[in-house]
Amino acid sequence: MKNKKLMPNISTSYYPPLRLRILRSFLWVIFSFITLGFILVSAVFVTSGMTPKLIRVNYDSIAAAQQMREAWVALRHPEEYLQKDPQPWKDQFENALSSEEENITEPGEKEIALQIRSLWNSNKEKTTFTSVEDFHQMLVYLNQVVEVNEKGMFSLASQSRILSQKIFYGSLAFFLLTVLLTIYWADQLSFRLAQPIKNIAEILRSKPSLVKPLKLPEANTLELSILNKQLLDLWDQLSQLNKLNLQQLVAQRNQLETILSSVEDGILVLNNEEKVVLCNEGFALLFGMESESIIYNSWRDLPSLHENYLRLRNFLSPELTTQNSIELNIEGIKIVFAARFRKIYDDQNHPIGSLYLLHDVTQKLGMQRLKEEFISVLSHEIKTPLQSLGMAGELLMNRKEKLDADSQTLVETMNEDISRIRAIANDFIQVGQRETSYLKLNLENLCLNEALQEWIKPFRVLAKDKNIQLQLLEATEKIWVNVDKIKFPWGISNLLSNAIRVSDSGTTIQVSLSLKNQKVCLEVADEGPGISAQAEKNIFEPYYQDSKNKQNTRGFLGIGLTIAKEVVEAHGGKIEYQNRQPTGAIFRIELPVLG
């Protein structure tokens, strides 16, 4: 609607449309290239048609001379030819001579043809054909015809080459001139397009005051005139909005204060003079004051002798790091806060204040202490029976010849696991003590197909004893990975132990290995009760047990899947759970392929 209002005020005769200017410029470019193409096509057509035609005429004259030579020699020496009758040879000579007289193209060729005609007329009616002198003179004339036409052919070829060169260089010069003109026109067109817009952009970049009217450069096209009108209207609207800006800022400040007051973390903002600019309720309640009584006062001189305020006044400083924490007494309860500090800058990157944030980490630290206590218990539970297990394993190894094959496999596996636990007991403890990224790994290239067969060997005996079928579906190709051959089997062992524990007699557990989407995919699928939808999001959390399977969890701490997850992620992979239909569970491990 606004465009329709503006259009009647613009004179289209005074402001030529920009589209028309662009169209004219490109029409000149198109015309120039059409002219160039017409010249090139015409030149190629002329040179390609004229030269072969002229050369053909010369070639016909040479061919006629050859025919006359043949007939002339045959009339002189008929004994050398099968055709003894002289009349056909006379006809051939006469026809060839007539053809030559009609194809005179070279200088001097006509005089030679007349001499040939004269000599032929004086000899063609003789019974005793020609003398030796006339015979040789005729051959000289014929050789001259051939020589003149050969020179003519060579001359035509040379002239054609020179003409082609002239056409080429002329076309090249015209093309270069056209390109230069096109560049000039394009530059002029781009200048006409860009310069007015550039002038408008420079005026707007100078950030003129909204209080003053906007002055734009004079338009020279219809489109720029419309653009100027639109910009002026928008400028007027911005000027009106600027008058309401202060009220909006105040409203936004009130909204911000409302939001900050609802935040549980304590927030304190100081200006460069260390006066309180903003303080939410969560921070003020730490030392029993109202936020309104704190704002605009000096942070160092608040009217309070509260123990928490005195501690915070000495604690909060720009030297704070993310590891700094402070313990405060809130209504007789000790609460630990983690402190953060941020410098506040204006749009010119000048510091204008400081932000302090206090976050309650009491619960997090409590969980950390529980974790450490668990590690201590776990360490004791591992090391205490390890000695007796080792002695029992050694005794069984000494007597394994008296056992059946399955029992021997179990004894060997037990001793291997005892040796491995002894070697990595301290490393196992660090799974709970540190983040996954700090888990120490001794990586090496390993053929997962072969290693997987060894890792599941003891579980075959356990599955057989429980009447469970354990199947291994291997990939057809060799799959190589970069893993710790001691720690990575933890994840496999935990998944298989859980699968055997929850599976009923007569069911099947499938272990499959494959390559999918450039990833190594290792799956353990059972036909057990599966995991409830409520428990799916927590199964990898430590100590978590699904109440659905409570009857099968006695004696288990609920850390097997946690260990599996941390070990797999330490190897750069991931582990995920999926329900199996109609019943059962699928745990999938994905690892990067060894490059």
Side-chain angles (χ1 to χ4, degrees):
M1 296 298 295
K2 188 172 289 186
N3 288 339
K4 293 182 179 179
K5 181 180 178 181
L6 292 173
M7 289 298 292
N9 299 327
I10 300 172
S11 174
T12 56
S13 60
Y14 181 75
Y15 296 110
L18 187 60
R19 184 181 65 179
L20 184 59
R21 289 190 173 185
I22 297 174
L23 180 61
R24 288 175 179 174
S25 299
F26 276 99
L27 284 177
W28 275 110
V29 174
I30 294 171
F31 175 76
S32 301
F33 278 100
I34 290 176
T35 303
L36 174 62
F38 179 76
I39 293 174
L40 289 176
V41 171
S42 300
V44 171
F45 177 78
V46 171
T47 54
S48 62
M50 180 180 66
T51 301
K53 181 178 179 181
L54 294 175
I55 292 176
R56 175 75 183 192
V57 173
N58 290 109
Y59 177 80
D60 291 343
S61 296
I62 294 174
Q66 296 296 337
Q67 292 177 358
M68 286 187 287
R69 176 190 295 275
E70 182 184 23
W72 185 256
V73 173
L75 291 172
R76 175 65 180 175
H77 302 286
E79 68 278 1
E80 296 180 3
Y81 292 87
L82 296 176
Q83 178 59 260
K84 304 301 183 180
D85 187 6
Q87 188 59 42
W89 293 113
K90 290 181 180 181
D91 293 340
Q92 178 178 326
F93 193 97
E94 181 64 31
N95 293 334
L97 179 57
S98 298
S99 176
E100 166 60 20
E101 289 173 342
E102 294 174 356
N103 287 315
I104 302 298
T105 58
E106 302 300 326
E109 186 178 2
K110 183 176 181 180
E111 289 77 7
I112 299 173
L114 291 174
Q115 292 174 349
I116 293 174
R117 169 61 69 181
S118 176
L119 185 58
W120 170 248
N121 290 336
S122 62
N123 286 278
K124 65 180 179 179
E125 301 298 336
K126 291 181 178 180
T127 305
T128 303
F129 191 74
T130 191
S131 63
V132 175
E133 292 79 5
D134 288 347
F135 176 76
H136 287 292
Q137 186 62 44
M138 180 64 74
L139 293 179
V140 170
Y141 291 153
L142 295 175
N143 288 336
Q144 289 177 352
V145 171
V146 173
E147 182 179 353
V148 167
N149 280 278
E150 285 180 347
K151 289 182 179 180
M153 291 175 65
F154 294 146
S155 176
L156 284 174
S158 177
Q159 291 176 8
S160 177
R161 184 176 65 255
I162 293 173
L163 179 60
S164 299
Q165 290 177 350
K166 289 180 179 179
I167 293 174
F168 171 75
Y169 289 117
S171 301
L172 180 61
F174 185 78
F175 176 75
L176 293 176
L177 178 62
T178 305
V179 170
L180 292 176
L181 288 175
T182 303
I183 294 173
Y184 172 75
W185 291 330
D187 179 69
Q188 291 298 310
L189 178 60
S190 62
F191 178 80
R192 287 197 298 268
L193 290 174
Q195 188 62 31
I197 300 176
K198 179 182 177 183
N199 293 337
I200 294 174
E202 289 177 349
I203 292 174
L204 297 177
R205 189 184 301 168
S206 64
K207 298 181 180 179
S209 174
L210 289 170
V211 179
K212 299 179 180 179
L214 182 63
K215 294 183 179 180
L216 297 176
E218 184 178 356
N220 56 6
T221 65
L222 177 64
E223 290 79 5
L224 285 175
S225 179
I226 296 174
L227 177 62
N228 283 357
K229 289 284 187 181
Q230 295 285 4
L231 287 175
L232 290 174
D233 284 350
L234 290 175
W235 190 261
D236 292 338
Q237 294 177 15
L238 288 175
S239 299
Q240 295 175 6
L241 291 174
N242 184 56
K243 297 176 182 179
L244 303 175
N245 190 39
L246 181 59
Q247 297 177 0
Q248 293 179 350
L249 288 176
V250 172
Q252 290 176 359
R253 177 184 176 87
N254 293 334
Q255 293 174 4
L256 178 61
E257 290 180 350
T258 302
I259 294 172
L260 293 178
S261 64
S262 63
V263 175
E264 295 181 357
D265 292 344
I267 300 174
L268 176 69
V269 178
L270 306 178
N271 61 16
N272 289 336
E273 288 77 28
E274 289 199 339
K275 288 188 177 182
V276 180
V277 178
L278 187 146
C279 175
N280 71 339
E281 293 293 337
F283 191 90
L285 291 176
L286 294 177
F287 43 89
M289 294 184 66
E290 297 291 335
S291 59
E292 290 80 3
S293 63
I294 299 175
I295 296 177
Y296 306 125
N297 289 321
S298 174
W299 167 243
R300 299 290 178 182
D301 300 320
L302 293 180
S304 175
L305 296 177
H306 197 286
E307 178 186 1
N308 289 342
Y309 166 66
L310 297 177
R311 296 192 64 190
L312 286 171
R313 187 175 64 178
N314 297 325
F315 176 72
L316 298 180
S317 67
E319 287 75 27
L320 281 176
T321 63
T322 55
Q323 287 76 30
N324 287 122
S325 61
I326 184 173
E327 185 179 81
L328 301 178
N329 192 335
I330 310 296
E331 298 179 356
I333 301 175
K334 292 183 178 180
I335 299 178
V336 181
F337 291 91
R340 295 182 182 177
F341 166 78
R342 291 290 185 275
K343 206 71 175 172
I344 302 175
Y345 298 90
D346 61 9
D347 56 354
Q348 302 296 326
N349 205 29
H350 297 146
I352 58 174
S354 304
L355 168 67
Y356 295 96
L357 179 66
L358 296 179
H359 177 64
D360 185 356
V361 293
T362 307
Q363 185 178 5
K364 181 179 179 181
L365 293 176
M367 291 296 295
Q368 181 66 30
R369 282 194 295 270
L370 288 175
K371 191 174 183 180
E372 292 174 357
E373 291 174 3
F374 163 73
I375 294 301
S376 177
V377 173
L378 182 62
S379 175
H380 179 269
E381 293 295 328
I382 289 177
K383 293 181 179 179
T384 300
L386 188 59
Q387 184 66 27
S388 59
L389 282 174
M391 294 177 61
E394 291 176 2
L395 290 174
L396 288 174
M397 279 293 293
N398 293 333
R399 302 175 184 177
K400 70 174 184 177
E401 291 80 6
K402 300 178 181 180
L403 304 175
D404 55 58
D406 289 345
S407 298
Q408 289 183 13
T409 301
L410 288 175
V411 170
E412 292 173 355
T413 302
M414 182 180 69
N415 278 276
E416 291 175 1
D417 288 343
I418 291 173
S419 299
R420 184 174 62 185
I421 292 174
R422 283 174 173 171
I424 63 173
N426 293 331
D427 287 341
F428 178 75
I429 301 302
Q430 74 176 340
V431 174
Q433 291 177 331
R434 301 181 182 178
E435 297 295 332
T436 304
S437 58
Y438 291 101
L439 185 64
K440 291 183 179 180
L441 299 176
N442 184 20
L443 300 177
E444 56 183 290
N445 296 343
L446 198 66
C447 179
L448 196 53
N449 311 63
E450 299 173 358
L452 191 58
Q453 294 181 4
E454 294 296 323
W455 293 340
I456 71 172
K457 185 186 296 183
F459 296 98
R460 290 187 183 277
V461 178
L462 296 177
K464 181 179 179 182
D465 184 63
K466 200 175 177 181
N467 192 27
I468 298 174
Q469 185 178 3
L470 180 58
Q471 296 180 348
L472 175 59
L473 306 178
E474 292 189 64
T476 56
E477 68 273 29
K478 295 289 185 181
I479 297 178
W480 291 83
V481 291
N482 196 21
V483 298
D484 187 320
K485 69 178 183 180
I486 300 298
K487 297 182 179 63
F488 184 74
W490 293 352
I492 308 298
S493 300
N494 280 299
L495 295 181
L496 286 174
S497 297
N498 290 344
I500 293 175
R501 177 166 51 86
V502 301
S503 296
D504 295 330
S505 176
T507 59
T508 301
I509 298 174
Q510 289 186 347
V511 180
S512 60
L513 177 64
S514 61
L515 282 176
K516 294 181 180 179
N517 301 324
Q518 301 301 316
K519 294 286 185 180
V520 177
C521 184
L522 178 61
E523 292 185 351
V524 176
D526 61 59
E527 298 176 357
I531 297 174
S532 63
Q534 182 181 1
E536 282 188 26
K537 58 184 179 181
N538 298 315
I539 58 175
F540 293 107
E541 297 296 328
Y543 322 122
Y544 183 81
Q545 295 178 355
D546 187 5
S547 59
K548 179 179 178 180
N549 299 323
K550 186 175 292 185
Q551 70 276 13
N552 294 322
T553 59
R554 171 176 279 183
F556 293 89
L557 295 175
I559 63 169
L561 291 178
T562 304
I563 293 173
K565 179 176 182 293
E566 294 187 353
V567 170
V568 170
E569 290 180 352
H571 284 81
K574 69 175 183 178
I575 183 171
E576 57 186 10
Y577 166 78
Q578 177 183 346
N579 273 323
R580 188 183 188 189
Q581 298 300 329
T583 180
I586 299 175
F587 284 91
R588 182 180 298 106
I589 295 176
E590 289 187 358
L591 291 174
V593 180
L594 181 62

